[in-house]
Amino acid sequence: MASNKTLICSKCKCGLAEIDTQFTYLDKKFRHKVLRCPQCGQVFIPEELAKGKMAQLEKALEEK
C-alpha cells in the first residue's frame, strides 16, 4: 500500500492503519492485511484488491 496519503475513517476521524484482518466467504476464512480503523474496525478495500486477489478467491471457492 504505497501511498503518501493517509486515509481517514469517516466515522471516527482517525487515520487508518494496515492491520491483518480476517474475511469469511462461503464459510471459508482467510486473512489479509488491509487498511482498517483501529477504533471502530471499519475496513477499506482498495479497488485493485477487490478486482484482483479477492475476485480470484471468490471464483475459486464458488467452483468447488
Side-chain angles (χ1 to χ4, degrees):
M1 305 203 171
S3 176
N4 294 341
K5 297 179 184 178
T6 299
L7 294 176
I8 305 296
C9 176
S10 61
K11 180 179 177 183
C12 302
K13 307 298 184 219
C14 67
L16 301 183
E18 194 171 271
I19 300 173
D20 192 42
T21 305
Q22 180 172 296
F23 296 90
T24 304
Y25 186 75
L26 295 177
D27 296 325
K28 303 291 183 193
K29 295 178 182 178
F30 59 98
R31 302 188 75 77
H32 192 74
K33 282 192 176 186
V34 292
L35 291 177
R36 188 168 124 187
C37 177
Q39 289 185 22
C40 72
Q42 181 170 304
V43 175
F44 172 75
I45 305 292
E47 184 177 0
E48 61 271 9
L49 179 60
K51 290 184 174 180
K53 287 185 179 182
M54 290 182 120
Q56 291 171 357
L57 181 60
E58 285 178 8
K59 185 177 179 182
L61 290 173
E62 289 173 356
E63 289 176 353
K64 290 184 177 185

